[in-house]
């Protein structure tokens, strides 16, 4: 087994990568095999046995899924790899978002039978937004129905990259024993039951012609996208292994191509070539652009240089029995144990008590951390996920990760009155660790309401309260987060804000037009990672300087304040365009505060005059069931107001794709299991918001 003792000589020898995939594609098994292949662990962890390193939380082991992003480190071929195993379930997409914000590259894992699945698309788009280079690993090549070409075709058709397949499988399904390396034209074969590295052999005679053809297609695809490779290809009519590998590295790092490998992580086949590809093709911190930040309105850059001023982004907070851990990506500079840093987000100084190298739930102390490193620190009191820590003499605020809007809520209360204060404190810690959880008090009922990204998200949070905090809680029925939108607008709504209480008064007149951004029947899906004002457009057509520009900005801010509560039921408002058409000022009594108040109250008045419509969250559901159960599943989806958009057969099962209101899916897992004798499964991904019926139904009871 190949492994090297790592010594940090330069940032070029560091790889910060994440493992991304749909749930059950095998990413945690891939992570476990990477740790085993690099000698970091000496026993292969298994998800089904609850012995994995990264899924160390009791809930993860009980449920058999990844819930929390876990960081581990290992060494391979002279490189130090910081690896984050991310969740695959849609309810925990915010964990993926925060992880991608601090990664330089990623391995996207796909099922060789299913190909691209719903959450595969979601995490791929998240990586696109962050500009994270990827390589693809088609896993489970030993499964019945596994087909590399079909999986690659689904990657090309649904994700739209340029897949560059660098391997040819040797054997199929249960007979999968190795791969042909098309870059070096050699065979890598793994012996059954052996824990040794792959045996290098010549390309098998029966695959030589196919390998030569695929190598030629690979060369042509690379030459088409890489100028230097095209020049060599035209001169020599072929590409050497060195030139081909160099071009693949460039195309991966620019995002113009995606290298595709294959294997079976469970059987430990294909992991060493995957690690070689990580080292060869994915970027180091030196290969990615310098981070950008601002301070007092001035934009600055910080290069990944240990000698530069210190700057780091906190992307995860975890409360443990030994203290509060804050996970950092060090973007520039060097930080040492005991140093004083500036929390530029909270604008206060903090002291670094300890620096830790994280190995999932185990930690090793460090004296310092350098640019490009991912570590955890102890001692920070105010830092949250998204906070920027920096040198006190060189302040900088980095762009924080987006936080998704919650779509499901449930009331929670302590069963024992004596636990009420403990519950409030525990909920505060939960929201510190997971910003996508929101706690609020219902103004009408006085209940504490916990909101999250889905039914499972809330279940996990409540179970954490019970297990980790020892608080017995009652939980109300989950409810979806509705929105309100404008169906028919109004024009010329005049609002006069005049107030005189002695001294300086307040004076602001605004004239507003309100209209829908687009017809409500054609509302486009809204990505949940986008900001809450993504459905709001503001413009001003006031001429002649009747309303100064600083007051126009104040009117816009006031309008955004008014979006928090709509006239139908106090739900957030989205999908509207507001135009400031006129206004009036007073030489002494007008101010930004007065115009902000006028904007807020004026838009509220206008919304009461508009024709409004409720919107409810909808999701795309992919249901996989035995063929004989399709009829019952289709009928059940129709009863849940679902619209079927696709149906296909796959390896003896039927796959049904439908768009269903999220409110109708509470308890669906139990119903599907009972209809299919436990053989049916389903996955979801957000599909935006759609018009709701006049009365949104209460969740159906489970089962």
């Amino acid at each position: 087994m190949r492994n090297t003792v790592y010594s940090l000589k330069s940032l070029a020898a560091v790889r910060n990568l994440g493992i991304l995939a749909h749930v059950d594609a095998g990413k945690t098994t891939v992570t476990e095999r990477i740790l085993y292949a690099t000698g970091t662990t000496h026993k292969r962890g298994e998800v089904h046995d609850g012995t994995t390193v990264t899924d160390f939380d009791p809930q993860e082991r009980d449920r058999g899924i990844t819930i929390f992003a876990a960081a581990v480190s290992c060494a391979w071929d002279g490189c130090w790899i910081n690896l984050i195993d991310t969740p695959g379930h849609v309810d925990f997409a915010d964990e993926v978002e925060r992880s991608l914000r601090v990664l330089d590259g990623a391995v996207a894992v796909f099922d060789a039978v299913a190909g691209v699945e719903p959450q595969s698309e979601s995490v791929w788009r998240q990586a696109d937004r962050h500009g994270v280079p990827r390589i693809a690993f088609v896993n489970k090549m030993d499964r019945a129905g596994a087909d590399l070409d079909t999986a690659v075709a689904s990657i090309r058709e649904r994700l739209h990259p340029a897949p560059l397949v660098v391997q040819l499988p040797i054997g199929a399904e249960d007979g999968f024993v190795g791969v042909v390396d098309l870059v070096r034209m050699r065979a890598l074969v793994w012996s059954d039951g052996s824990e040794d590295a792959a045996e290098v052999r010549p390309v098998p005679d029966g695959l030589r012609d196919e390998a030569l053809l695929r190598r030629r297609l690979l060369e042509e695809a690379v030459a088409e996208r890489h100028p230097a490779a095209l020049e060599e290809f035209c001169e020599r009519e072929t590409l050497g292994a060195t030139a081909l590998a160099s071009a693949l590295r460039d195309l991966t790092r620019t995002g113009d191509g995606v290298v595709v490998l294959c294997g079976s992580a469970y059987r430990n086949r294909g992991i060493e070539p995957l690690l070689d590809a990580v080292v060869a093709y994915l970027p180091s911190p030196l290969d990615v652009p310098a981070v950008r930040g601002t301070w007092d309105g001035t934009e600055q850059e910080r290069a990944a240089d240990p000698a530069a001023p210190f700057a780091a982004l906190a992307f995860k907070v975890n409360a443990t029995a030994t203290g509060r851990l804050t996970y950092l990506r060090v973007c520039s500079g060097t930080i040492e144990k005991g140093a004083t840093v500036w929390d530029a987000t909270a604008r206060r100084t903090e002291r670094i008590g300890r620096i830790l190298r994280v190995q999932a739930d185990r930690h090793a102390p460090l004296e310092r951390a350098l640019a490009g490193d991912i570590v955890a620190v102890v001692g920070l009191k105010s830092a949250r996920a998204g906070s920027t820590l920096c040198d006190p003499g060189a302040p900088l605020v980095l762009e924080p990760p987006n936080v998704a809007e919650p779509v499901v809520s449930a009331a929670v209360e302590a069963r024992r009155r004596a636990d009420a204060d403990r519950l409030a404190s525990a909920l505060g810690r939960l929201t510190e660790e997971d910003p996508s959880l929101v706690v609020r008090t219902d103004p009408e009922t006085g209940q504490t309401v916990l909101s999250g990204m889905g039914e499972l998200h809330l279940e996990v949070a409540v179970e954490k309260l019970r297990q980790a905090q020892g608080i017995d809680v009652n939980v109300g029925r989950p409810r979806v987060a509705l929105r309100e939108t404008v169906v028919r607008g109004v024009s010329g709504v005049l609002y006069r804000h005049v107030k005189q209480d002695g001294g300086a008064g307040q004076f602001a007149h605004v004239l507003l037009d309100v209209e829908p951004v687009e017809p409500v029947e054609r509302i486009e899906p809204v990505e949940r990672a986008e900001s809450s004002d993504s459905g709001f457009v503001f413009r001003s057509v006031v001429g002649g300087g009747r309303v100064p520009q600083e007051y126009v900005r104040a009117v816009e801010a006031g309008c955004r304040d008014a979006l928090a509560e709509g006239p139908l039921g106090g739900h957030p408002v989205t999908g509207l365009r507001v135009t400031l058409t006129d206004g009036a000022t007073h030489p002494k009594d007008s101010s930004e505060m007065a115009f902000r108040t006028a904007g807020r109250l004026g838009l509220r008045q206008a919304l009461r005059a508009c024709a409004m419509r409720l919107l409810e969250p909808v999701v795309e559901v992919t249901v996989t069931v035995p063929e004989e159960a399709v009829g019952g599943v289709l009928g059940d989806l129709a009863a849940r107001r679902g619209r079927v958009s696709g149906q296909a057969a796959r390896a003896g099962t039927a796959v049904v794709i439908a768009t269903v209101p999220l409110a109708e899916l509470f308890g669906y897992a139990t119903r599907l299991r009972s209809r299919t004798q436990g053989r049916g499964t389903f996955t979801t991904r957000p599909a935006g918001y759609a018009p709701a019926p006049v009365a949104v139904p209460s969740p159906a009871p489970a089962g």
Side-chain angles (χ1 to χ4, degrees):
M1 186 178 301
R2 181 175 48 156
N3 191 20
T4 58
V5 177
Y6 174 71
S7 174
L8 183 58
K9 297 179 180 178
S10 72
L11 288 175
V14 175
R15 300 290 182 273
N16 293 315
L17 70 136
I19 307 293
L20 312 175
H22 182 89
V23 65
D24 287 337
K27 62 190 173 309
T28 297
T29 303
V30 169
T31 303
E32 292 297 318
R33 298 304 183 263
I34 286 176
L35 295 177
Y36 182 74
T38 57
T40 307
T41 60
H42 303 289
K43 183 180 179 181
R44 290 182 285 187
E46 305 293 353
V47 173
H48 55 270
D49 291 336
T51 57
T52 58
V53 172
T54 53
D55 286 354
F56 58 86
D57 187 271
Q59 288 200 72
E60 293 178 310
R61 294 187 170 179
D62 290 344
R63 298 174 185 271
I65 61 172
T66 300
I67 296 173
F68 310 106
V72 292
S73 301
C74 57
W76 183 260
D77 201 20
C79 276
W80 185 252
I81 300 174
N82 295 313
L83 188 152
I84 297 180
D85 179 23
T86 65
H89 196 284
V90 64
D91 282 16
F92 309 106
D94 230 41
E95 288 274 330
V96 181
E97 184 76 15
R98 292 193 294 272
S99 299
L100 283 169
R101 181 68 180 80
V102 299
L103 296 174
D104 301 324
V107 175
V109 181
F110 300 93
D111 188 310
V113 178
V116 175
E117 298 174 272
Q119 189 61 8
S120 307
E121 292 187 63
S122 297
V123 296
W124 191 273
R125 287 199 301 270
Q126 285 177 286
D128 279 340
R129 284 200 303 271
H130 290 278
V132 175
R134 280 140 281 169
I135 58 179
F137 181 70
V138 179
N139 192 27
K140 302 187 179 183
M141 288 294 298
D142 57 327
R143 279 187 62 193
D147 187 278
L148 177 62
D149 291 338
T150 302
V152 171
S154 73
I155 292 172
R156 180 184 294 108
E157 292 164 8
R158 298 184 63 176
L159 304 180
H160 312 296
L164 304 171
V165 184
V166 298
Q167 292 178 342
L168 170 66
I170 300 174
E173 300 180 348
D174 194 51
F176 172 74
V177 296
V179 296
V180 175
D181 178 358
L182 298 177
V183 177
R184 296 172 180 80
M185 289 305 289
R186 59 181 184 172
L188 303 174
V189 179
W190 288 269
S191 302
D192 227 357
S194 172
E195 297 185 353
D196 294 331
E199 182 182 346
V200 180
R201 302 179 184 175
V203 177
D205 292 338
L207 290 176
R208 178 167 292 279
D209 291 343
E210 177 73 10
L212 289 172
L213 173 62
R214 290 182 180 245
R215 165 63 185 249
R216 183 70 177 182
L217 293 174
L218 175 62
E219 291 178 358
E220 292 174 353
V222 169
E224 182 182 337
R225 294 167 176 82
H226 193 279
L230 177 62
E231 185 176 342
E232 179 171 332
F233 186 77
C234 291
E235 287 180 3
R236 303 175 52 188
E237 297 187 355
T238 187
L239 286 175
T242 302
L244 182 56
S246 176
L248 288 170
R249 179 171 58 251
D250 293 342
L251 293 174
T252 299
R253 295 177 182 182
T254 60
D256 295 323
V258 175
V259 170
V260 180
L261 302 96
C262 64
S264 168
Y266 180 70
R267 297 174 70 175
N268 209 33
R269 295 176 179 176
I271 299 302
E272 295 98 333
L274 175 62
L275 282 164
D276 289 337
V278 165
V279 171
Y281 305 133
L282 289 180
S284 73
L286 292 178
D287 299 316
V288 298
V291 296
R292 290 177 175 269
T294 58
W295 185 255
D296 288 342
T298 304
E299 187 172 288
Q300 303 177 31
E301 280 191 356
R302 293 283 168 87
D305 181 357
F310 169 71
L313 183 68
F315 66 95
K316 183 178 176 69
V317 174
N318 189 21
T320 69
T322 57
R324 188 172 181 268
L325 290 181
T326 305
Y327 291 74
L328 303 178
R329 163 64 190 264
V330 183
C331 301
S332 67
T334 302
I335 185 67
E336 297 189 351
K337 182 176 68 173
T340 297
V341 298
W342 175 252
D343 183 339
T345 307
R347 293 184 176 245
R348 57 171 288 178
T349 56
E350 294 267 25
R351 183 178 178 276
I352 303 293
R354 289 184 293 154
I355 303 175
L356 304 174
R357 172 73 64 201
V358 180
Q359 203 71 2
D361 59 339
R362 294 170 295 171
H363 314 111
L366 296 173
E367 291 299 316
R368 65 180 59 83
L370 308 176
D373 222 338
I374 293 178
V375 295
V377 298
V378 179
L380 303 184
K381 297 178 181 178
S382 64
R384 303 288 186 266
S387 295
T388 300
L389 302 177
C390 57
D391 187 324
L396 180 76
V397 176
L398 302 172
E399 181 184 356
N402 290 323
V403 178
E405 288 185 15
V407 294
V408 176
S409 301
V412 294
E413 64 179 12
R415 285 192 177 175
R416 294 175 299 185
R417 184 170 296 180
D419 286 338
D421 290 341
R422 290 182 59 218
L423 176 61
S425 177
L427 287 172
R429 285 194 293 272
L430 271 184
T431 56
E432 277 188 23
E433 294 185 9
D434 186 353
S436 60
L437 287 171
V438 176
V439 177
R440 64 180 177 86
T441 301
D442 190 304
E444 295 182 1
T445 65
Q447 290 178 306
T448 298
V449 178
L450 179 64
S451 303
M453 306 310 301
E455 194 175 9
L456 179 60
H457 192 201
L458 294 187
E459 283 181 17
V460 167
V462 170
E463 192 60 31
K464 195 166 186 179
L465 289 174
R466 290 171 175 155
Q467 290 183 356
Q469 307 297 335
I471 302 173
D472 201 4
V473 296
N474 290 323
V475 183
R477 287 178 125 183
R479 302 179 65 88
V480 297
L482 301 177
R483 296 289 181 268
E484 299 179 23
T485 193
V486 175
V487 177
R488 186 177 64 255
V490 293
S491 299
V493 176
L494 175 63
Y495 187 84
R496 297 182 175 93
H497 178 64
V498 181
K499 194 172 183 182
Q500 190 73 45
D501 292 330
Q506 294 185 37
F507 183 98
H509 290 186
V510 294
L511 193 67
L512 302 175
D513 290 350
V514 180
E515 59 184 330
V517 171
E518 57 187 9
V520 70
E521 293 80 8
R522 298 204 308 270
I523 291 175
E524 294 294 328
V526 178
E527 288 292 333
R528 291 198 293 184
E530 293 179 351
S531 61
S532 60
D533 60 0
S534 58
F536 173 69
V537 178
F538 180 87
R539 62 177 179 167
S540 172
V541 294
V542 179
R546 290 176 57 81
V547 180
Q549 190 60 39
E550 62 269 23
Y551 294 167
V552 171
R553 289 193 294 267
V555 174
E556 179 180 359
C559 289
R560 292 183 186 276
D561 295 340
L563 298 178
E565 294 183 2
L568 293 182
H571 309 292
V573 182
T574 187
L576 73 160
R577 178 184 290 109
V578 177
T579 304
L580 177 64
T581 59
D582 202 357
T585 62
H586 187 277
K588 292 184 178 179
D589 293 344
S590 289
S591 64
E592 291 185 29
M593 183 177 68
F595 272 90
R596 181 164 186 159
T597 302
R600 182 181 76 255
L601 299 179
L603 181 54
R604 285 184 179 176
Q605 176 179 302
L607 290 176
R608 288 194 292 269
C610 292
M612 304 292 291
R613 182 71 181 269
L614 278 180
L615 301 176
E616 62 179 339
V618 295
V619 294
E620 182 185 274
V621 184
T622 302
V623 187
T624 304
V625 295
E627 292 182 346
E628 62 270 18
V630 170
V633 168
L634 291 175
D636 191 30
L637 289 173
R640 295 171 184 269
R641 297 188 287 133
R643 293 186 299 173
V644 176
S645 57
Q647 188 174 335
R650 180 192 295 162
T653 61
V655 179
V656 178
I657 302 173
T659 302
V660 184
L662 180 60
E664 300 284 0
L665 286 181
F666 297 134
Y668 183 59
T670 304
R671 179 68 61 87
L672 182 64
R673 283 195 295 268
S674 66
R675 283 184 173 274
T676 61
Q677 290 78 50
R679 294 182 291 167
T681 61
F682 77 99
T683 59
T684 64
R685 71 180 181 95
Y689 283 83
V694 176
V696 179
S698 298

